[in-house]
Amino acid sequence: MAVLVTGGAGYIGSVTVELLQQEGEDVVILDNLDRGHRESVDPSLPFYEGGIGDRKLVARIAREHRIESCVHFAALAYVGESVGEPLRYFDNNTAQGIALLESLVVAGVRRVVFSSTAATYGEPEQSPIPETHRQLPTNPYGWSKYFMERVLQSCDHAHGLKFAALRYFNACGATARCGEHHEPETHLIPIVLFAATGKWPHVSIFGTDYPTPDGTAIRDYIHVADLASAHLLALKHLRGGGDSDCFNLGTGHGYSVKKVIETAERVVGRPIPTQAAGRRAGDPSRLVATSDKARRILGWNPQRSDLATIIQSAWDWHQKHPDGYANG
Ligand code: UFG
């Protein structure tokens, strides 16, 4: 019996694959390598290059590897891109995601850990955000994930498919093997580190007039290895007969863009050039989670999500991989 990890060559997927492997799980990866990196996963693991919407392929994988659960990461995840190309996001994340669920249901798989997002909440009405907060996404990416949460609920009702939807806040950091390599890079911490090395001339600070203490936007930064451990716990929860549920994954502490840059300057031991810029479209001022539910029900206990620890781990990875996975 094996676990199918879709998007297992992506950033959070590869770190989760690494952990599942360490835990002795049989892992099979399905990734179309559109955004993922083949080098990010152990070459000895069963790996299928293909789409989640390929019903024949998923049926074959499920049969040949006796798939018992699926951890579903495969998705496009740029908020800005989704605003310009909504149909691509709804096709890739929702339509293909539904095809995957159909293949899983037909194959008799009844457990899914789903990669959801804080972007399903939209502009928060309260902070920190509990799971019961109303969900009103402000961009197609958030909607594409929101729809999948609803489809999963219907599949539970109709087919007894049990799921855990994990709503990530800001994934960051690295393990010794796996790190963050996006093309193009839009995420704050990698860009801050690129500016520290001179690879980028500076970090643009998107918005200095937010209603926050220093005027810059606040996010809840969570170490990717802590996210990975939540997936393992969610899998165990479902295997133990746990009910379908949604869980926020964050620390409950928010840091402003300026605070991230200051902390990075301490970690790398040099000043990081910055430039004030206008707000980025669609960015809320503050996104901070309450994650008590994941702690209470899953027994989740993030260990590596102190901001300096996160940045140190990302810095170590970028030092070893200045061109990301391109140089191995
Ligand atoms: N930022 C800058 N300069 C940059 C890059 C980012 O000031 O060069 C700011 C952003 O405006 C934001 C903060 O840094 O205020 C964090 O930005 P990221 O791009 O690192 O992350 P986001 O909060 O925009 O998005 C992340 C994930 C999304 C997910 C969202 C949910 O990338 O997939 O969290 O909270 F939807």
Side-chain angles (χ1 to χ4, degrees):
M1 302 292 271
V3 180
L4 174 63
V5 182
T6 73
Y11 172 44
I12 308 171
S14 61
V15 177
T16 304
V17 164
E18 192 181 25
L19 178 67
L20 290 170
Q21 208 184 356
Q22 281 162 12
E23 293 288 316
E25 298 274 351
D26 277 335
V27 179
V28 181
I29 299 161
L30 173 62
D31 197 303
N32 66 6
L33 295 182
D34 178 23
R35 303 266 155 108
H37 306 278
R38 182 67 183 90
E39 306 88 326
S40 67
V41 287
D42 181 340
S44 71
L45 289 173
F47 186 97
Y48 292 85
E49 185 175 342
I52 55 172
D54 184 339
R55 290 179 169 82
K56 273 193 189 146
L57 177 61
V58 175
R60 179 159 71 86
I61 295 171
R63 195 174 55 246
E64 288 179 1
H65 295 276
R66 299 171 58 231
I67 298 299
E68 50 90 13
S69 302
C70 176
V71 184
H72 173 36
F73 292 100
L76 298 171
Y78 289 120
V79 168
E81 186 179 69
S82 79
V83 175
E85 299 178 72
L87 297 174
R88 185 170 172 208
Y89 272 68
F90 290 126
D91 176 43
N92 190 85
N93 296 0
T94 314
Q96 309 291 314
I98 291 170
L100 171 72
L101 293 181
E102 196 185 346
S103 304
L104 295 175
V105 166
V106 169
V109 179
R110 290 294 182 273
R111 284 185 286 268
V112 174
V113 178
F114 175 62
S115 217
S116 190
T117 169
T120 60
Y121 292 116
E123 189 61 47
E125 287 175 330
Q126 69 187 93
S127 183
I129 304 172
E131 287 84 352
T132 49
H133 190 282
R134 67 115 179 70
Q135 289 177 286
L136 190 60
T138 51
N139 53 66
Y141 167 64
W143 280 114
S144 73
K145 292 282 185 172
Y146 172 84
F147 292 146
M148 284 300 289
E149 286 194 4
R150 300 284 89 79
V151 173
L152 282 161
Q153 274 170 0
S154 302
C155 289
D156 182 1
H157 186 72
H159 307 295
L161 181 143
K162 297 296 169 194
F163 70 91
L166 305 182
R167 296 179 187 152
Y168 314 147
F169 281 65
N170 285 64
C172 44
T175 64
R177 180 193 170 89
C178 304
E180 193 165 7
H181 176 180
H182 299 108
E183 294 285 351
E185 191 52 81
T186 61
H187 295 86
L188 180 64
I189 291 178
I191 289 173
V192 165
L193 299 180
F194 292 160
T197 61
K199 189 172 176 182
W200 282 37
H202 59 261
V203 191
S204 296
I205 301 179
F206 294 143
T208 51
D209 58 349
Y210 281 107
T212 59
D214 67 16
T216 66
I218 290 177
R219 293 289 182 274
D220 188 337
Y221 294 91
I222 179 87
H223 195 292
V224 65
D226 284 330
L227 288 183
S229 76
H231 291 76
L232 181 69
L233 292 166
L235 203 53
K236 289 182 175 164
H237 166 78
L238 297 179
R239 283 177 180 156
D243 234 333
S244 296
D245 218 331
C246 301
F247 300 95
N248 282 343
L249 298 180
T251 62
H253 301 289
Y255 295 96
S256 70
V257 172
K258 279 190 179 160
K259 183 76 191 167
V260 170
I261 296 168
E262 276 166 31
T263 308
E265 286 179 327
R266 276 204 303 281
V267 169
V268 306
R270 62 184 88 152
I272 296 174
T274 63
Q275 204 168 81
R279 292 184 184 192
R280 197 168 63 175
D283 272 354
S285 56
R286 179 190 296 262
L287 281 175
V288 179
T290 55
S291 299
D292 302 354
K293 190 172 164 186
R295 290 173 188 270
R296 196 176 67 249
I297 297 179
L298 302 179
W300 187 54
N301 183 17
Q303 300 277 318
R304 282 147 289 201
S305 291
D306 161 75
L307 187 59
T309 307
I310 290 173
I311 296 175
Q312 182 71 57
S313 72
W315 179 239
D316 292 344
W317 194 82
H318 283 289
Q319 300 271 87
K320 268 201 292 186
H321 303 264
D323 298 314
Y325 287 106
N327 68 346

